Amino acid sequence: MKKTILIVLAASTMLSCEKFLDTESYDKKNTGNFPATVADANSMLTGIYSSLNAAISNVQHSHFYMAELASDDRFGGGGENDRDMQGLDHIMNTQPDRFLTFWTARYQGIFRANTALETLDQVSGWTGDAQKNQVMGEVYFLRALYYFELSQLFGEVPLVSSTAVSNIPKAPAEETYARIAEDLQQAISLMPSSPYTSVASGHATKWAAQALLARVFLFYTGYYGKTELPLASGGSVSKAEVIQALADCIGNSGHDLVADFRNLWPYANEFTKKDYAYARDNNLSYAGDGNKETVFAVKFGTLVDWGDQYMLGYSNQLNLHFSLRSNNGQDGTFPFGQGWGAGPVNSSLWNEWRQAEPSDIRRGGSIINVATDLDNYIFGADNQMEETGFWQKKYIAVTAYDNGRLIPSYAILADAAPAEYQLAHTQDLVLIRFADVLLMHAELSETNTNLNRVRARVNLAPVGYSIAALKRERRWELAFEGLRYFDLMRWKEVAAALARQEGVAIRNKGIDTQMRAFGGGYSARIEATGGFWPIPTSQIALSDGVLTQNKGWGESTHEFPGW
C-alpha cells in the first residue's frame, strides 16, 4: 500500500492523550474491544479535543497565528532572524513543511473523529439517548471545525470521512464544504437546546455548531461566489436557514455580552489590576475563562512541559509569541510581559479607528500605545523588527506582582501555573464569541438591531445597517481574534487591504524605515495564491504526487528572503 498522509497519522488511531488523562495506554486496544463503556467514549472524545492543543505546540505554524500576522492590521515582527513571522505577514514561505504540525494535528483529529463515529454505537451503559447524542454531536462539530480550518488555510484538501487508509487527492471545495455543513447539521440536531451552562466548559454545544455553521456559510458563499451552502446528503443550506439558526442561538443559548468589553481580557484580573491604573481606574473585573460571551474556546491548563510528560500546547503559546521581546516585558512595560515580539499592530488601524470612532473604549481596550500606556518602553529591544509602537492586548502575557516581586503571569497566582514565562499562560483561546454571533446575524439579515447591540455595550450611538458599517464594526470589535484575514478574503478585499501596508512607518532594530513589499508585493502574492498557503512538501512526497501543491507556491521566488 502506498504511503499517504493518513499512514503518517494511523499510528495515533487509538491514542487519545493518555498522559493528559492519566489512564492506561491505548496501544493494546482496537476497534474490536474499544470503546466499550461510556468512560471509553469520553476518553475517545478527549483525544479528539486534544488535537486542538497539539497544533498550538508549534503555534507559529497554525491557523490562528497565520490569520493574525497575515492580516492588514498586524505585521510579522519578531527578531531579525524570525523569518517565519515576517514571511506570514508578506504572504511568503519560509520552509518546506511550514504548516506540517497543524496539518498533522488536524488530520489526527479527523481520524480520531472518524474512528469515534464508526465505533460509538458499540458502547453500552449510556444513561440515555441524550448522553450519547451529546458526545456524537461534539464529534461531528469537531470534525467540521477541523475541516473548515484546513479549508481556510489550504483551500482544497483531501476529504477523508472514514478510517480506511487511502491515497487520495485534494477534494473540490464544494465537496469538503458539503461535508462540513452536513456534520454541523448533524451536531445541531443531536445536541440539546438547553442553556450552554448545562455542558462542561470547553465542550461544544448546539449553539457553537449554529455559530460555526454561519461562519462557514459566510466564508464559502463569499469567497466562492455562491448563494447557498451544499450538503453531502443532497440539497443545501440557505441564508434564511442560517439566519434562523443564529436567531435560535441568540434567543435560547443563554449566551450574552459581558457588560464591559474590557472585562473580557486578562489585564483586568484581580491580581494585576491593583497595580495597573487603567484597570483600577476603570473599575474593571476580569470575566474569566468560560464567561457567558464564550461560545467555543480552546482550553489550557497547568499540566504543561517541554514534551516529557505533557504537550507544550496545553499552555497558550499565542500569549508567549505575541508578547514583548526581552528588555521589554519587565517592570517598565507592566502589566505586559515578555515573549517573542510577533505581530506588532499596524499604526493605520489605530489612526483609522481613532478617526472613525474617537470615543470607542475598545481601541484603548484592545491596543497598547507605548508612547502613552507604558512607563519605559524600549524600541529595538532584542533587535525587534517591523515595530510600530502599538501592540495588541487581548492575547499577551499579563504580569502581576507577588509581594513586590514581578512574576511573568497572573496565572501563577490565579491558577497555580508554572512559574516560567514560556509555560505560564492559561487564558482560553476564544474561537467563537457571542459578539461575533450578533454581527454575523446582522450581516446575513442586513438589519441593525444586533449591530447596535454590540455598539451599545461601548456606549456608541446606533447606526443604520450598511455593509460598510458592518465591516467597520467587525474590524473594531473582533480585532486580533483571528477573523480579519478571512473576512477580507470573503469580501474580496484582501489584496487591496494588504497592499496598503506598504509605506507604513516601522522600525527595524530601532532604526526608522517603512514597510516594503517582497515577492512582487502583497497584491501580487494574493493574486498568485488566492490567499491560501502551501501544503507541506513532505505530504506531497508521501503521496507519490497524488497530492499537488497549491498555486503560487513551490518556487524560489515564493520564499521570503528576509529584510
Side-chain angles (χ1 to χ4, degrees):
M1 184 178 294
K2 291 183 178 180
K3 291 183 179 179
T4 70
I5 54 166
L6 298 180
I7 291 290
V8 175
L9 304 176
S12 62
T13 303
M14 305 305 297
L15 295 176
S16 151
C17 192
E18 54 270 25
K19 291 177 182 176
F20 175 67
L21 294 169
D22 196 26
T23 63
E24 64 177 320
S25 172
Y26 292 167
D27 59 6
K28 294 182 181 179
K29 296 181 183 295
N30 57 64
T31 54
N33 60 28
F34 182 90
T37 66
V38 174
D40 289 343
N42 287 330
S43 295
M44 182 174 274
L45 182 61
T46 299
I48 303 170
Y49 275 103
S50 74
S51 297
L52 290 167
N53 299 88
I56 292 169
S57 294
N58 195 4
V59 72
Q60 69 267 33
H61 306 306
S62 67
H63 175 273
F64 188 98
Y65 196 99
M66 178 284 296
E68 279 300 294
L69 270 59
S71 80
D72 60 328
D73 286 339
R74 297 180 77 172
F75 298 144
E80 61 182 326
N81 296 319
D82 287 323
R83 295 169 64 253
D84 284 340
M85 299 173 187
Q86 296 148 30
L88 286 176
D89 176 63
H90 294 285
I91 322 297
M92 301 190 74
N93 198 19
T94 53
Q95 51 182 283
D97 278 343
R98 162 100 232 207
F99 292 103
L100 179 61
T101 307
F102 181 80
W103 176 280
T104 302
R106 288 298 174 262
Y107 273 109
Q108 180 189 67
I110 289 165
F111 193 88
R112 291 174 176 179
N114 290 341
T115 303
L117 293 173
E118 292 173 8
T119 59
L120 282 173
D121 280 341
Q122 68 195 36
V123 169
S124 61
W126 299 106
T127 58
D129 288 343
Q131 185 185 32
K132 178 181 178 181
N133 288 344
Q134 175 65 33
V135 171
M136 293 286 287
E138 291 181 58
V139 174
Y140 277 116
F141 171 87
L142 289 169
R143 186 169 73 171
L145 174 64
Y146 294 163
Y147 265 125
F148 182 48
E149 289 191 346
L150 285 166
S151 297
Q152 283 192 312
L153 188 58
F154 300 109
E156 294 182 344
V157 296
L159 178 59
V160 187
S161 54
S162 77
T163 56
V165 177
S166 58
N167 191 12
I168 58 175
K170 295 183 286 189
E174 182 177 3
E175 291 183 18
T176 304
Y177 278 91
R179 179 74 270 160
I180 293 168
E182 190 79 32
D183 282 358
L184 290 173
Q185 292 282 56
Q186 289 281 358
I188 291 166
S189 67
L190 286 167
M191 291 189 282
S193 298
S194 53
Y196 78 94
T197 50
S198 66
V199 176
S201 179
H203 284 256
T205 62
K206 171 183 178 177
W207 320 114
Q210 289 175 329
L212 184 58
L213 180 66
R215 185 175 291 176
V216 170
F217 182 93
L218 283 165
F219 186 82
Y220 176 77
T221 57
Y223 186 85
Y224 292 101
K226 306 293 185 179
T227 58
E228 296 189 330
L229 183 63
L231 288 167
S233 60
S236 58
V237 180
S238 68
K239 179 188 287 189
E241 290 174 302
V242 178
I243 294 170
Q244 183 178 7
L246 288 176
D248 186 25
C249 177
I250 292 167
N252 299 306
S253 66
H255 288 294
D256 201 353
L257 296 176
V258 168
D260 191 316
F261 170 86
R262 297 165 295 188
N263 287 340
L264 290 166
W265 315 111
Y267 56 74
N269 79 83
E270 62 176 312
F271 301 101
T272 298
K273 74 172 187 178
K274 65 182 187 297
D275 300 301
Y276 182 33
Y278 178 85
R280 186 180 64 247
D281 295 348
N282 287 292
N283 197 29
L284 302 185
S285 180
Y286 182 35
D289 293 327
N291 63 68
K292 63 183 178 180
E293 197 159 337
T294 299
V295 179
F296 187 73
V298 182
K299 306 294 288 185
F300 301 97
T302 59
L303 296 181
V304 56
D305 62 18
W306 296 105
D308 295 335
Q309 295 183 339
Y310 306 105
M311 283 199 300
L312 182 61
Y314 288 145
S315 69
N316 189 336
Q317 292 294 291
L318 288 158
N319 285 17
L320 172 66
H321 277 251
F322 293 164
S323 293
L324 310 175
R325 288 184 71 80
S326 59
N327 297 326
N328 286 312
Q330 306 302 318
D331 297 86
T333 60
F334 181 83
F336 303 108
Q338 182 179 348
W340 305 150
V345 172
N346 187 343
S347 56
S348 296
L349 172 61
W350 176 269
N351 295 331
E352 291 167 22
W353 198 342
R354 180 174 55 187
Q355 182 176 4
E357 297 284 4
S359 64
D360 191 346
I361 63 169
R362 293 174 298 187
R363 181 165 50 93
S366 303
I367 301 176
I368 305 163
N369 180 351
V370 304
T372 59
D373 298 345
L374 303 180
D375 290 339
N376 187 25
Y377 180 84
I378 303 168
F379 276 94
D382 198 16
N383 292 322
Q384 175 71 53
M385 299 290 287
E386 301 181 343
E387 193 169 19
T388 63
F390 297 97
W391 296 92
Q392 61 81 37
K393 58 197 291 189
K394 291 183 176 181
Y395 292 103
I396 189 171
V398 174
T399 59
Y401 286 103
D402 182 17
N403 294 320
R405 178 177 62 91
L406 184 71
I407 57 174
S409 174
Y410 73 96
I412 296 167
L413 298 174
D415 304 319
E420 211 269 45
Y421 79 100
Q422 298 185 62
L423 304 177
H425 309 297
T426 60
Q427 179 192 0
D428 283 0
L429 173 60
V430 179
L431 299 184
I432 307 175
R433 188 156 63 82
F434 188 65
D436 186 22
V437 174
L438 295 174
L439 293 176
M440 288 191 293
H441 183 273
E443 183 173 1
L444 286 162
S445 65
E446 300 181 47
T447 57
N448 68 347
T449 299
N450 288 317
L451 173 65
N452 286 325
R453 183 173 172 182
V454 173
R455 290 176 61 81
R457 169 166 63 176
V458 290
N459 299 313
L460 293 178
V463 295
Y465 179 82
S466 69
I467 189 61
L470 184 282
K471 289 176 179 178
R472 285 193 299 271
E473 206 62 38
R474 286 189 66 83
R475 190 184 187 193
W476 312 149
E477 173 70 27
L478 302 171
F480 319 124
E481 297 182 47
L483 299 174
R484 172 72 174 171
Y485 183 77
F486 300 118
D487 279 349
L488 292 171
M489 285 181 69
R490 66 184 178 87
W491 291 330
K492 309 293 188 183
E493 296 175 359
V494 63
L498 266 58
R500 287 193 290 272
Q501 296 175 103
E502 296 172 19
V504 172
I506 60 171
R507 296 187 189 185
N508 283 340
K509 298 188 287 186
I511 299 171
D512 289 335
T513 186
Q514 293 182 335
M515 181 58 71
R516 66 181 179 91
F518 291 87
Y522 289 98
S523 293
R525 291 302 299 142
I526 292 297
E527 182 178 354
T529 64
F532 297 121
W533 293 82
I535 290 173
T537 302
S538 64
Q539 301 303 290
I540 295 173
L542 284 170
S543 76
D544 290 335
V546 172
L547 274 180
T548 56
Q549 188 55 274
N550 288 335
K551 67 175 187 176
W553 301 103
E555 298 179 9
S556 60
T557 55
H558 307 150
E559 300 296 312
F560 179 61
W563 280 89

